[in-house]
């Protein structure tokens, strides 16, 4: 008799631009569903032993992206299931990552406008890619570069600008039920 194939992982994966609310929504989802949160940025910081800003300063963006890909591969190997996985905004830049994300579970893109991103990230200095004179221009350029990559990776997109965190969470929980029941 053929061995039964393992059932696909039932994780909810949050992707989206910096300031799209991934970490906050992950906490809400965790509270609602009782699933633990895994945050790829947190794992990267742990692994590197220094903050993201310092990784960018000392080793550059490519080294950060290598760490990010390695963390995703590790997550897939350990086959975590029933987790809420929050990711960094640039995780979709590498094709390898996009494939892993979709295999990890139900991928939700938290869509947010440039204006809202400016409002939320404006004074925060922890995001190296936005630490420059032309924050507005950088956000516009990165959004343009990344929009189709988010869209191509996500199973579902949610426009978040006019919704509260509980509203977004309820929408994700309902859609995830349909997705995992397929
Ligand atoms: C990045 C987003 C950040 C972090 C790093 C790079 C990006 O995460 O991974 O600064 O390229 O958009 P958040 O989206 O959680 O801010």
């Amino acid at each position: 008799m053929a061995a039964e194939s393992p059932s696909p992982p039932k994780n909810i994966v949050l992707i989206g631009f910096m300031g799209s609310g991934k970490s906050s929504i992950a906490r809400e989802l965790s509270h609602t569903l009782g699933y633990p949160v895994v945050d790829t940025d947190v794992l990267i910081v742990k692994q590197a032993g220094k903050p993201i800003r310092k990784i960018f300063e000392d080793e550059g963006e490519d080294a950060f992206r290598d760490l990010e890909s390695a963390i995703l591969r590790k997550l897939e190997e350990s086959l975590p299931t029933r987790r809420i996985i929050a990711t960094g905004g640039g995780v979709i830049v590498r094709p390898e990552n996009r494939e892993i994300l979709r295999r990890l579970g139900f991928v939700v893109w938290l869509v947010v406008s440039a204006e809202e991103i400016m409002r939320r990230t404006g004074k925060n200095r922890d995001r190296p890619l936005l630490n420059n004179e032309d924050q507005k221009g950088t956000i516009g350029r990165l959004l343009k570069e990344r929009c189709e990559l988010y869209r191509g990776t996500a199973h579902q997109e949610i426009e978040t600008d006019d919704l509260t965190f509980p509203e977004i969470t309820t929408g994700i929980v309902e859609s995830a039920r349909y997705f995992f029941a397929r």
Side-chain angles (χ1 to χ4, degrees):
M1 200 170 35
E4 253 181 65
S5 56
S7 54
K10 292 191 171 164
N11 303 301
I12 298 177
V13 183
L14 301 178
I15 62 171
F17 204 81
M18 293 170 267
S20 60
K22 291 163 296 193
S23 305
S24 307
I25 300 294
R27 278 195 297 276
E28 288 262 351
L29 283 167
S30 168
H31 186 69
T32 306
L33 295 169
Y35 297 0
V37 174
V38 176
D39 187 317
T40 57
D41 278 347
V42 172
L43 295 178
I44 291 168
V45 168
K46 241 190 221 163
Q47 168 116 1
K50 52 185 162 185
I52 291 175
R53 183 182 38 78
K54 199 87 177 69
I55 304 173
F56 271 70
E57 264 171 36
D58 295 349
E59 300 160 55
E61 181 173 351
D62 271 358
F64 173 81
R65 298 288 167 217
D66 287 344
L67 282 169
E68 195 170 45
S69 296
I71 292 289
L72 282 187
R73 283 196 298 271
K74 236 193 225 168
L75 276 181
E76 192 182 21
E77 271 162 29
S78 62
L79 274 185
T81 193
R82 293 191 168 83
R83 301 279 197 284
I84 310 298
I85 303 175
T87 59
V91 73
I92 40 64
V93 167
R94 290 196 174 172
E96 173 206 358
N97 295 358
R98 301 199 288 273
E99 285 170 21
I100 296 179
L101 291 170
R102 284 180 69 89
R103 288 198 296 269
L104 278 171
F106 178 51
V107 185
V108 180
W109 173 24
L110 302 176
V111 186
V112 62
S113 66
E115 295 69 36
E116 192 62 24
I117 294 167
M118 276 297 286
R119 210 175 59 74
R120 293 185 195 170
T121 60
K123 290 193 185 71
N124 190 314
R125 297 283 123 209
D126 293 337
R127 294 181 169 100
L129 290 179
L130 299 183
N131 270 349
N132 59 54
E133 293 297 299
D134 184 18
Q135 213 183 52
K136 196 169 173 203
T138 308
I139 290 171
R141 177 179 56 79
L142 287 176
L143 269 179
K144 209 163 154 213
E145 281 172 20
R146 293 177 176 182
C147 215
E148 284 311 309
L149 302 179
Y150 290 126
R151 180 163 289 125
T153 309
H155 295 106
Q156 194 201 6
E157 14 181 307
I158 301 188
E159 297 279 349
T160 62
D161 276 14
D162 299 325
L163 297 177
T164 63
F165 286 157
E167 284 169 341
I168 297 167
T169 303
T170 306
I172 295 175
V173 169
E174 277 178 18
S175 311
R177 278 211 181 99
Y178 281 111
F179 180 83
F180 291 126
R182 293 168 314 162

